[in-house]
Amino acid sequence: MKIRTKAFLYLSLNVLGLGFWPIALRVGALAMDAVSFLLLSFASAALVSFAYLLATDSLASLKNVLADRRNAAVISFAGLLNYGIAAILVTYGSVQVSASLASVLYRSWVLLMIPFIPLILKTRVNRYQLAGLGIGFIAMYFASTEGTVIRVNLGQLPAIIALIAAGFAAAISNLLIKSRNAPIFVQLFIFNASALTFFVILLPIMHGFGYSVIFNPSLPAIASVLFVSLVTYFAGAYFFFYALKTIGPTITGNAMLIVPFLTFLFAFILIKEPVYPYYIVLAALVATGVIVQERAPGEAPEVLSPKGRRSLFDVSGAFTEARGEVAEMIKGEGRALAVRIDREGLSEEDEALVKRTAGKYGCIAFSIDRPAKDITGEEVEFLKQILKDKGTGTFIIAIGKAQNAAAALREIYNALSNRII
């Protein structure tokens, strides 16, 4: 199956599961206390994640990721934000307000991540994304006034703030995850283990301050734990992160606009939750903000660079399933960058220059027409799609530490084009 096709299939399955997610959180948190419910959910998810690593003989990959302390720390922090902190905030919000409203507000993370893209991914934000962000803030204000525009419901305000905070946590987490490269199932185990550790520490602290622990292994509670752990934070999370790394945060986020509408339907059918007219308007506002982003040119994100320099593009998403030397080069903080040279095809001498220059910077590099040994045909096809390759000019790809890959590409461009960038 083609990389892009697989990514969209996984994304579709994830969207379907996420439609049920706020309902499962609400049912589970009402059946027992929220912290105990999430602790059991992440204990189950961590156990299943670890069992998968054992079954697929992937413990060596886990050890390699943990050996890079900086990389492991960033991945763990991303997991804590997205799984631990966001989960408790969304669970609280889902109990205080409807699951439908909680779903709409949390999905605003797609827009809330825009200000952090230049800081974390080092790529440019365009005017379409900024316009989408503005619409997102209008939607949040609309939610806080229950659609009246002028009256704020102070009773719901803490829950609304918690859901928006969860959106910020998810936004930063997803960008951190996009910025790091490690086997997805290894990341899933680290995410679940980080969240489990968080709730193991949090529960006794909260209990010490008078928090009531309610352990109620009823059928609704068990069903909710199994759904949240196995569907949301294991299988669904794999589907989501595969899509995130492959087709990027904007397109992946765009698909999330479908989720609130599914939640409206499922909540109405399963728990008889009413759908108020302003929910539809609110979901439409969030959807509009994301659609505005989609008007931006659909190419690989442009890497931030000093003014006047030739554009480099981040194409790391093509190597989500990298193997061999490519996997070694792109792991951790490694990136795959590309530059277009205004000439068709490279000679053997030019190809040798590309490899030699990349070697100076501790990278590997190749032209899109003559890919490196471990690059598959599906990866080349995906590269051509995201780079909008029309057969005019040649793209050079460099893989390694971001700074080194960028320096190598600029030297290669200067040498092959007789121009300075």
Side-chain angles (χ1 to χ4, degrees), residues 35-371:
V35 179
S36 296
F37 166 68
L38 289 171
L39 190 154
L40 289 176
S41 297
F42 285 112
S44 300
L47 183 62
V48 172
S49 301
F50 189 73
Y52 181 88
L53 295 181
L54 280 176
T56 56
D57 199 23
S58 300
L59 288 183
S61 297
L62 174 61
K63 290 177 182 176
N64 288 337
V65 172
L66 295 178
D68 184 342
R69 292 183 180 178
R70 177 183 170 83
N71 193 39
V74 172
I75 292 173
S76 299
F77 180 64
L80 177 62
L81 282 176
N82 203 355
Y83 280 32
I85 294 174
I88 190 66
L89 291 173
V90 174
T91 303
Y92 167 75
S94 298
V95 171
Q96 299 301 316
V97 300
S98 69
S100 298
L101 181 58
S103 178
V104 173
L105 287 172
Y106 178 64
R107 292 300 141 201
S108 65
W109 72 259
V110 179
L111 303 172
L112 295 176
M113 72 181 176
I114 293 169
F116 303 101
I117 288 176
L119 296 173
I120 298 175
L121 296 185
K122 311 297 182 187
T123 55
R124 297 185 187 279
V125 168
N126 55 57
R127 64 181 182 275
Y128 299 96
Q129 291 171 309
L130 292 175
L133 179 62
I135 294 170
F137 282 120
I138 292 172
M140 290 176 204
Y141 175 75
F142 192 73
S144 68
T145 65
E146 294 185 302
T148 66
V149 182
I150 57 173
R151 187 185 73 249
V152 176
N153 184 336
L154 296 178
Q156 287 194 349
L157 192 58
I160 290 172
I161 292 172
L163 289 162
I164 293 172
F168 271 109
I172 295 170
S173 172
N174 282 310
L175 291 175
L176 288 174
I177 293 163
K178 173 68 176 171
S179 74
R180 297 284 151 168
N181 294 290
I184 295 178
F185 280 112
V186 170
Q187 287 184 310
L188 288 184
F189 171 70
I190 294 174
F191 296 158
N192 284 310
S194 298
L196 174 60
T197 303
F198 172 70
F199 287 110
V200 165
I201 295 171
L202 181 65
L203 185 60
I205 292 175
M206 291 185 66
H207 183 61
F209 283 94
Y211 178 77
S212 298
V213 176
I214 305 169
F215 183 73
N216 177 25
S218 63
L219 184 59
I222 293 171
S224 297
V225 166
L226 292 176
F227 181 88
V228 170
S229 60
L230 301 182
V231 177
T232 304
Y233 290 113
F234 181 67
Y238 172 76
F239 295 153
F240 175 79
F241 291 125
Y242 183 93
L244 177 70
K245 289 173 178 289
T246 303
I247 54 181
T250 300
I251 295 176
T252 305
N254 288 347
M256 296 298 109
L257 65 89
I258 303 169
V259 173
F261 296 100
L262 290 177
T263 303
F264 293 166
L265 176 63
F266 298 152
F268 178 74
I269 294 172
L270 296 176
I271 57 176
K272 309 302 179 186
E273 187 174 88
V275 178
Y276 297 104
Y278 86 92
Y279 290 0
I280 305 295
V281 177
L282 182 57
L285 274 173
V286 173
T288 301
V290 179
I291 290 169
V292 166
Q293 290 187 77
E294 187 62 14
R295 293 294 303 276
E299 58 187 12
E302 185 180 348
V303 177
L304 290 172
S305 58
K307 218 171 184 180
R309 288 196 168 186
R310 183 73 171 184
S311 293
L312 302 180
F313 298 95
D314 190 334
V315 294
S316 306
F319 304 105
T320 301
E321 296 181 323
R323 60 203 55 77
E325 187 180 16
V326 175
E328 189 63 27
M329 285 290 180
I330 206 169
K331 73 179 183 181
E333 298 178 77
R335 312 302 295 164
L337 304 180
V339 69
R340 183 181 178 276
I341 295 177
D342 297 321
R343 55 190 291 185
E344 294 184 24
L346 300 184
S347 66
E348 293 287 346
E349 185 179 344
D350 294 336
E351 294 281 359
L353 181 146
V354 167
K355 292 179 181 177
R356 187 169 61 250
T357 305
K360 281 171 48 181
Y361 292 92
C363 305
I364 59 173
F366 53 90
S367 71
I368 201 167
D369 300 318
R370 297 184 186 179

